[in-house]
Amino acid sequence: MKKSLSQLVVLTVMFVITIGVVLLTKIPYANAFFNEAAAIVIIFCAFLAIDVLRWIIRMTIEGAVTQSKRQEISWTIGAVVCMAYFLWRTWHRYSLWQVCIVAVVCAVLMLGLLVRLFSRWDADCVRWNTWAGCCFLVTLAIGMSVLLWKPMTVTEAEELVVASTGDNSYAFQYIDSSKSPEYPLGFYLCHRKRTDGSWSSDGRGRAVVYLGENQENWRSPAPQE
């Protein structure tokens, strides 16, 4: 129990670091990394909480050293199926980056399940390392995306659109996801904003700004009708 408890502490630290990275990038990049992904994030956190709660109950009340194989399989498969289901139901909302991350997280969870079922390693330690590995991969993916792709911030996108159109009424409206390898994070969409705070409904002047590599030909707005 002492060893699995130390691994649980490591998981907690990694989970907190991931939350910190997500919050630090949420405002500057308009939550581009988790745009429209609330359902999947909630599922991940919910099943992680279930695993932790089950471990606490098992160790303190039931006095069971290990979890049954049926429970091991059901919780992991449940987490993977739920995330895959919401990804499928709202497929058009997710960018290629998000699809890849969800796929990798599901693969890590399944790998952790196989190791727990067929190895002699401490199952609880493997479980916490599996969850911690998922958090680390998400943190690494966000960090590397920012460092390598150097995506525009919302402020930079708005300034570019205003400078190119000469109209300072343009403002960021929402993110349009993309599944193209050339545009893995999607686009910032800007539109004219009225003085009362409502969006213009004329259907013209919308600007698309690439959210990807730091190249000038991709950082220029392209008008859409």
Side-chain angles (χ1 to χ4, degrees):
M1 178 178 179
K2 185 177 180 180
K3 186 176 180 181
S4 60
L5 182 59
S6 64
Q7 295 298 323
L8 180 58
V9 172
V10 173
L11 164 61
T12 303
V13 173
M14 192 66 246
F15 185 73
V16 170
I17 292 174
T18 303
I19 293 176
V21 171
V22 171
L23 293 178
L24 285 173
T25 57
K26 181 177 181 179
I27 295 178
Y29 301 105
N31 200 26
F33 298 102
F34 289 96
N35 182 48
E36 301 289 350
I40 293 177
V41 173
I42 291 172
I43 289 168
F44 179 88
C45 294
F47 276 90
L48 171 56
I50 289 171
D51 259 350
V52 174
L53 183 61
R54 277 292 307 161
W55 180 81
I56 294 174
I57 293 174
R58 180 161 48 85
M59 289 296 182
T60 58
I61 299 177
E62 297 177 355
V65 178
T66 59
Q67 190 164 240
S68 68
K69 288 187 176 181
R70 180 179 62 82
Q71 290 174 330
E72 293 279 12
I73 295 172
S74 62
W75 289 125
T76 304
I77 296 297
V80 171
V81 168
C82 285
M83 286 192 287
Y85 172 77
F86 278 99
L87 185 65
W88 169 70
R89 281 295 302 271
T90 53
W91 176 258
H92 63 284
R93 298 181 181 178
Y94 297 103
S95 67
L96 180 62
W97 187 94
Q98 292 170 321
V99 173
C100 291
I101 292 301
V102 173
V104 170
V105 167
C106 289
V108 172
L109 290 176
M110 292 302 297
L111 178 61
L113 172 63
L114 295 177
V115 173
R116 292 197 301 275
L117 292 177
F118 300 107
S119 76
R120 295 183 178 180
W121 292 340
D122 185 285
D124 288 326
C125 290
V126 174
R127 179 181 297 104
W128 306 142
N129 286 331
T130 299
W131 286 110
C134 292
C135 293
F136 173 76
L137 287 171
V138 172
T139 302
L140 181 65
I142 294 175
M144 294 303 293
S145 297
V146 172
L147 292 175
L148 296 179
W149 291 340
K150 297 179 177 62
M152 282 185 178
T153 63
V154 172
T155 302
E156 290 176 327
E158 289 178 334
E159 290 175 349
L160 180 61
V161 173
V162 170
S164 63
T165 61
D167 187 347
N168 59 9
S169 65
Y170 278 102
F172 167 74
Q173 188 174 16
Y174 62 93
I175 286 181
D176 184 25
S177 298
S178 166
K179 292 183 177 61
S180 169
E182 295 180 331
Y183 318 108
L185 288 178
F187 305 88
Y188 292 123
L189 295 187
C190 298
H191 205 277
R192 288 200 295 268
K193 204 169 189 179
R194 298 191 183 98
T195 55
D196 61 358
S198 62
W199 297 102
S200 174
S201 58
D202 56 14
R204 294 176 299 174
R206 179 176 295 175
V208 179
V209 181
Y210 176 51
L211 186 64
E213 291 186 32
N214 187 13
Q215 296 188 22
E216 292 305 319
N217 60 323
W218 285 346
R219 292 168 72 90
S220 300
Q224 285 188 342
E225 295 298 334

